[in-house]
Amino acid sequence: MALMKLDDFDSNYVQTFEGDDVKGFGVYTEAEEKIGSVSDVLVDEEGHFRYLVVDLGFWIFGKKVLLPVGLSRINYNTDRVYAINMSRKQAEDLPEFNDRTVADYDYEERVRNVYRNSYNTPVDADYAVSTPEAIGTTGYRNFDRNTYTYDQEPTFFGMNERDHQTFRLYEERLIANKTRRKAGEVAIGKRVETETARVSVPVEKERVIVERTTPVDAERIVAPGEADFREGEVVRMEIYEETPDIHKEAFVREEVTIKKVVDRDTVDREETIRRERLDIDTDGNPIVENTDRI
């Protein structure tokens, strides 16, 4: 996989590195000769620093080259990067890097070979004996593109303590986070209750009352032909009564709506935190420049 620029890997890298940004640092030889400045950083797919992109404006105008991070010494106090054993010959031999350059294995090999020839990187003895065909005509190891790792050349890519040592001061901070936990549960259901209900319905019933009375002229003799004797004369009268019709019907009594609301509160807490301060002890009258980068 080709290398990528630092800000392409992490657009917030300045915050990630707590303000430590080497871009813009001046690049010097160990003899304090300025040869250019850092214009960018190339990282691998895991974000490890692999090369500093050095603009050689002071040596070769308009040319940018790659400097393996292991061959640099970064001084954050003075905003300087020292290129270890960098020579003008190396700068001239290195392939140019620009925005269109694809930093793949083949390009890196062109860069690394310049430094290998300059540093005469030794071959591991066991490797040379076991795989003599992998040793090039120069007597130095030829690497397999399929198995190459940066750890195989710690001189170029190792972040050694001597050249990259930083003294960090630590402090504690209160970090406020929230965790969501289950505080309880509300179960809402329904059950059936029974009770005895009473209802009163007034009903009417008809009944027949037969009244028999003695007329005033009882015992009067009627004239011949006045009496009309007929057999089978019947008077009919319909009788009605009301009967109760009582049954049960279901009705909607009420509706229940279930919802949740969020109540917000602020929890305050105090803790004692610690911070390291830098104490500088001097012996004699040395000149100490304390550059505060915070």
Side-chain angles (χ1 to χ4, degrees):
M1 180 178 292
L3 300 175
M4 66 187 74
K5 294 182 179 180
L6 180 57
D7 52 0
D8 291 335
F9 179 84
D10 181 3
S11 59
N12 296 318
Y13 73 91
V14 176
Q15 288 78 10
T16 303
F17 296 143
E18 299 180 353
D20 288 343
D21 186 7
V22 298
K23 287 186 181 181
F25 279 21
V27 180
Y28 292 78
T29 66
E30 293 180 297
E32 299 292 340
E33 178 187 1
K34 187 169 185 178
I35 62 176
S37 61
V38 178
S39 65
D40 219 321
V41 179
L42 298 186
V43 299
D44 61 18
E45 64 272 13
E46 295 180 355
H48 296 139
F49 280 31
R50 295 308 179 190
Y51 298 94
L52 301 180
V53 181
V54 179
D55 185 343
L56 297 174
F58 287 84
W59 264 8
I60 307 174
F61 181 76
K63 184 177 182 179
K64 295 180 181 179
V65 297
L66 298 187
L67 174 66
V69 67
L71 300 181
S72 68
R73 179 165 54 87
I74 303 173
N75 190 325
Y76 287 101
N77 291 327
T78 60
D79 293 349
R80 288 188 175 189
V81 173
Y82 290 93
I84 301 174
N85 295 332
M86 171 65 83
S87 66
R88 184 182 293 271
K89 178 67 166 57
Q90 275 183 334
E92 293 173 349
D93 293 341
L94 284 168
E96 184 176 358
F97 180 87
N98 55 51
D99 293 337
R100 298 182 302 276
T101 301
V102 178
D104 56 11
Y105 179 85
D106 293 328
Y107 178 83
E108 283 190 79
E109 275 295 281
R110 292 172 57 197
V111 173
R112 289 190 289 254
N113 281 332
V114 173
Y115 290 105
R116 288 167 185 157
N117 292 332
S118 300
Y119 279 83
N120 292 332
T121 306
V123 177
D124 179 75
D126 294 335
Y127 183 89
V129 171
S130 61
T131 56
E133 70 280 356
I135 308 303
T137 57
T138 60
Y140 304 110
R141 177 176 178 178
N142 290 334
F143 294 91
D144 184 350
R145 65 185 305 126
N146 297 316
T147 60
Y148 179 84
T149 63
Y150 294 103
D151 293 338
Q152 292 173 286
E153 295 185 283
T155 301
F156 298 155
F157 304 106
M159 301 285 282
N160 60 76
E161 294 184 0
R162 178 178 62 85
D163 295 327
H164 302 90
Q165 185 177 13
T166 57
F167 184 53
R168 297 185 179 274
L169 303 179
Y170 295 90
E171 68 177 12
E172 294 177 329
R173 299 178 182 175
L174 286 182
I175 306 300
N177 292 317
K178 297 186 295 184
T179 57
R180 185 179 178 88
R181 64 179 181 86
K182 183 177 179 180
E185 185 177 289
V186 176
I188 300 178
K190 59 181 182 178
R191 57 189 174 88
V192 178
E193 293 181 344
T194 60
E195 64 177 7
T196 302
R198 295 182 181 276
V199 63
S200 297
V201 180
V203 296
E204 294 181 349
K205 292 183 179 182
E206 296 178 340
R207 58 190 175 91
V208 177
I209 299 176
V210 179
E211 294 182 351
R212 303 173 67 181
T213 62
T214 302
V216 177
D217 57 351
E219 301 299 330
R220 180 178 67 83
I221 298 174
V222 299
E226 183 179 354
D228 184 13
F229 290 92
R230 289 181 296 180
E231 186 177 353
E233 185 177 357
V234 177
V235 177
R236 297 182 181 276
M237 180 178 291
E238 293 181 347
I239 305 300
Y240 293 93
E241 71 175 4
E242 294 177 336
T243 59
D245 180 14
I246 301 175
H247 62 279
K248 297 186 291 184
E249 292 183 354
F251 298 88
V252 176
R253 182 167 61 90
E254 64 177 321
E255 268 188 0
V256 178
T257 301
I258 303 171
K259 62 181 180 180
K260 295 192 298 184
V261 296
V262 178
D263 296 328
R264 289 179 171 81
D265 194 6
T266 301
V267 178
D268 297 326
R269 183 171 178 179
E270 293 183 354
E271 290 283 351
T272 301
I273 60 176
R274 298 170 297 174
R275 176 183 300 149
E276 295 180 339
R277 294 291 189 183
L278 184 65
D279 291 330
I280 301 177
D281 295 328
T282 60
D283 186 9
N285 298 309
I287 299 176
V288 178
E289 294 183 4
N290 183 15
T291 305
D292 190 356
R293 294 174 52 82
I294 300 177

